[in-house]
Each structure stands twice: as C-alpha cells, then as structure tokens.
Amino acid sequence: MLDRTSGTDRSLNADPVSELLLGMRLRGASYGKLRYSPPFGVGFPHSPDARFHFVASGNALLRSPSGDLMSLSCGDAVLLPRGEEHAIVSDSAAKVRPLDSFETVPLCSGVCAIDAHSEETCRSRDVLVFTARMQFELDTMHPLVELMPQVLFVGSLLGRQPEIRPLLDAMEREMTAVRAGTAGILARLADVVAASVVRGWVECGCGDATGWVAALRDERLGRVLSALHRNPGHDWTLAEMAAQMGSSRSVFAERFAAATGTTPLRYVSTLRMRLAAQWIGQDRMPIDQVARRLGYRSQAAFSRAYKRVTGHPPGQARKLRDQTS
C-alpha cells in the first residue's frame, strides 16, 4: 500500500508474517449443526483440513489429539488447524462414536444436521455444537500451519480481539433460532471467527513458535523468505537469494539452514510442491497450468520434480486429496 504522504511503500515495513497472512483464506468444505444428549461421545477423524467447533449450549469436553481433556462451555469456540483426530465427549468415560456413524439431515448446500438427543433427557442438558471442516488456504504460508498448536481457543483472544465476542453471540442466537437462512449465516460466521483466531495467534507473536517464524521476522532473512513466498515460480539461484539478504552465498546458506532446518534450494522446491499439491488436489487446476505457474519449462520436468519431492506423480494429488477428505 502506497503512503501518499511520504511516497513510500508501507508494506516494506510491515511484519513479514502479517504481510504474508494477507493471502490467507479459510474456505468452508462442510458444516454441521449437532445436538447430543449426555452421555455422548463423537469422534472426528483426521482430515487434511482444519476443524472448527462452537458450543452454543451446554457443557462438554474436547479430547485433544494428544489425549488431553479440555472443558468447553456455552460460547466457547476452538480451531484445530491441522485437523488431527479428536473427540467431543460429555464426560471422560463416555463411549465415542465416529461422526459419520450418526444419521444426518441436509439443511442447505454444505450444511447438515445431526440430532442425537434422548427423549428421556431434559432438553436443558442437551449440548448444541456447530462444527466446520475448513480448507486452510494460506497460499505460500503452509509452514505457519505446521507451527500452530494442536488446539487454538477463541477465549484466549477475546481480551486482544473484543470484536470476536459479537460474532460468537450471533452464532449462539442463530443456533437456537428457527429462522430462514440460519444454516448459511452460521457457516459464514464460523469462517470469520476461525480466520480471526489465526490472525489473533499471529498478532500475539505466534506463541512459542521458533524456526521458520523466527527466520521470517529476522530483518535480513525475512526479506529473502518474503521474496520466495511472493514469487515461488521464479528461477531462484543461491546467488540471488544471498543478494536479497545482502551477504555472501556461504554466509547466507549457513544462516538460512540454521534458521529453517533445510537448504535454500530445497526449501524452494518443497514450497513449490506444496503449492502444486494444493492447486492440483484442492483447486483442481490442470497439471500443465501448475507447471507453467511454478516456472517449469515443461510438464515432464515439473512431474519429475514433483515425484522427487512428494514420492508420487502429480496425477495422484487429486486422488490422495479425495481419500483424506
């Protein structure tokens, strides 16, 4: 963004993590409006997508991917950015059933309902949960997802981001109302809240994340990483990357490897193939178009590079994506 008063590009002085986060998109893949009566346990399988939960009524426990039990109360929302296996249970001894074992009723496109309440149980004890499976599109910021904690709680961000509270209140009202368009409104609110959770984590310093985040926030290394992520299809050489940092090739290579755990050229290759996997498997982009976009002169050269990095040809990306969705 151009600062009209100074004639300078203010983005040059922006936090590199926040700058790259501008490309973040959370696209809802599916949503569910769930009602359970205790005792209950619902298991969510591992997914390549993020998983979001909002409790609109009642109390429950989240069994995290590591097995820890975390309390969830009315108004709480959580995001599991890597979509690892987890469960929501009424108590620690509750038997867990897979999510897909419950009968579902479609409400609108992409939104279904599960009503597993018991007639013998008082309705005041029911637990209402709105859940979403979200495709995490960070464009070239895939390493950020890997550095996030298993579970991100909205409650820990409310002091810094009070604007989230009205969104949660609106979700609670929509969950308990019977009105036209409720399911679609809930889906959009969930998208905004989940994106706000990620932004809040970044603005709070990315927790105790080191490595890639620390390298990105290093003024000189950050220039290089930002350039790579903005233009992954460029034919980067070690000399060009070192020039971005303003150092010799040997000093740059040593400092880059110490911060990221890999060599600069391997980092570029991995970055390209992560993008390729997203564009082919998730966005259904033709392979030849992906090859051109990432700077390869031929589809054959791209296919060889893709298989070398991922272990399988690019044609399998869609199949693998569909199998894990």
Side-chain angles (χ1 to χ4, degrees), residues 131-152:
T131 186
R133 184 169 59 84
M134 298 177 172
Q135 293 172 347
F136 231 134
E137 299 180 18
L138 288 171
D139 288 335
T140 57
M141 282 198 68
H142 296 66
L144 188 66
V145 178
E146 296 171 3
L147 293 170
M148 291 178 185
Q150 289 182 333
V151 182
L152 289 167

Side-chain angles (χ1 to χ4, degrees), residues 54 90 113 223 300 313:
F54 170 73
S90 58
R223 282 202 301 269

Side-chain angles (χ1 to χ4, degrees), residues 140 227-236 268 271-272 275 279 290-296:
T140 57
L228 298 180
H229 284 251
R230 282 195 302 267
N231 192 5
H234 179 70
D235 186 17
W236 291 100
V268 173
L271 171 63
R272 288 172 177 164
L275 281 171
W279 293 341
V290 172
R292 290 193 302 271
R293 190 171 176 180
L294 290 175
Y296 289 89

Side-chain angles (χ1 to χ4, degrees), residues 34 41-47 49-54 61-70 72 78-89 96-99 129 131-133 150-151:
L34 319 179
V42 53
F44 297 85
H46 178 268
S47 166
D49 301 319
R51 189 52 98 159
F52 171 84
H53 303 296
F54 170 73
L61 297 171
L62 173 73
R63 181 171 290 146
S64 74
S66 60
D68 296 329
L69 290 174
M70 307 173 183
L72 295 175
V78 295
L79 179 72
L80 291 90
R82 290 186 295 280
E84 296 165 289
E85 184 178 357
H86 61 286
I88 295 178
V89 298
V96 176
R97 281 179 55 184
L99 177 67
V129 178
T131 186
R133 184 169 59 84
Q150 289 182 333
V151 182

Side-chain angles (χ1 to χ4, degrees), residues 15-300:
D15 175 3
V17 180
S18 299
E19 179 186 345
L20 287 180
L21 190 64
L22 292 174
M24 183 189 74
R25 296 189 304 278
L26 274 169
R27 181 171 61 190
S30 63
Y31 305 87
K33 187 176 180 181
L34 319 179
R35 178 189 291 271
Y36 295 99
S37 297
F40 72 87
V42 53
F44 297 85
H46 178 268
S47 166
D49 301 319
R51 189 52 98 159
F52 171 84
H53 303 296
F54 170 73
V55 179
S57 178
N59 299 290
L61 297 171
L62 173 73
R63 181 171 290 146
S64 74
S66 60
D68 296 329
L69 290 174
M70 307 173 183
S71 297
L72 295 175
S73 301
C74 179
D76 283 343
V78 295
L79 179 72
L80 291 90
R82 290 186 295 280
E84 296 165 289
E85 184 178 357
H86 61 286
I88 295 178
V89 298
S90 58
D91 60 86
S92 59
K95 184 179 179 181
V96 176
R97 281 179 55 184
L99 177 67
D100 60 9
S101 70
F102 293 92
E103 183 180 354
T104 62
V105 176
L107 298 179
C108 65
S109 178
V111 185
C112 68
I114 293 176
D115 193 340
H117 78 271
S118 169
E119 295 294 346
E120 290 74 32
T121 303
C122 177
R123 295 285 70 79
S124 64
R125 297 186 61 204
D126 286 351
V127 177
L128 282 172
V129 178
F130 189 77
T131 186
R133 184 169 59 84
M134 298 177 172
Q135 293 172 347
F136 231 134
E137 299 180 18
L138 288 171
D139 288 335
T140 57
M141 282 198 68
H142 296 66
L144 188 66
V145 178
E146 296 171 3
L147 293 170
M148 291 178 185
Q150 289 182 333
V151 182
L152 289 167
F153 279 85
V154 171
S156 63
L157 301 172
L158 292 178
R160 185 182 181 93
Q161 293 186 272
E163 66 274 12
I164 297 178
R165 172 49 63 190
L167 298 174
L168 298 175
D169 292 342
M171 288 191 72
E172 186 176 346
R173 288 194 300 272
E174 292 294 335
M175 279 289 283
T176 55
V178 182
R179 301 176 64 188
T182 287
I185 291 172
L186 278 166
R188 301 291 78 77
L189 287 170
D191 292 350
V192 175
V193 172
S196 298
V197 172
V198 177
R199 182 175 66 180
W201 179 75
V202 170
E203 290 179 345
C204 288
C206 301
D208 57 0
T210 56
W212 183 81
V213 169
L216 190 58
R217 283 185 166 147
D218 178 293
E219 182 180 354
R220 298 175 70 195
L221 272 179
R223 282 202 301 269
V224 182
L225 286 167
S226 293
L228 298 180
H229 284 251
R230 282 195 302 267
N231 192 5
H234 179 70
D235 186 17
W236 291 100
T237 65
L238 192 63
E240 283 182 299
M241 288 185 271
Q244 288 276 340
M245 180 173 157
S247 70
S248 68
R249 286 179 292 179
S250 59
V251 169
F252 163 69
E254 181 178 353
R255 190 164 169 183
F256 189 98
T260 65
T262 188
T263 65
L265 293 177
R266 187 174 293 122
Y267 184 93
V268 173
S269 295
T270 302
L271 171 63
R272 288 172 177 164
M273 297 314 136
R274 279 174 164 162
L275 281 171
Q278 175 183 307
W279 293 341
I280 297 169
Q282 184 170 298
D283 298 337
R284 308 290 171 169
M285 191 180 294
I287 294 174
D288 61 339
Q289 183 179 342
V290 172
R292 290 193 302 271
R293 190 171 176 180
L294 290 175
Y296 289 89
R297 296 178 181 176
S298 70
Q299 184 174 326

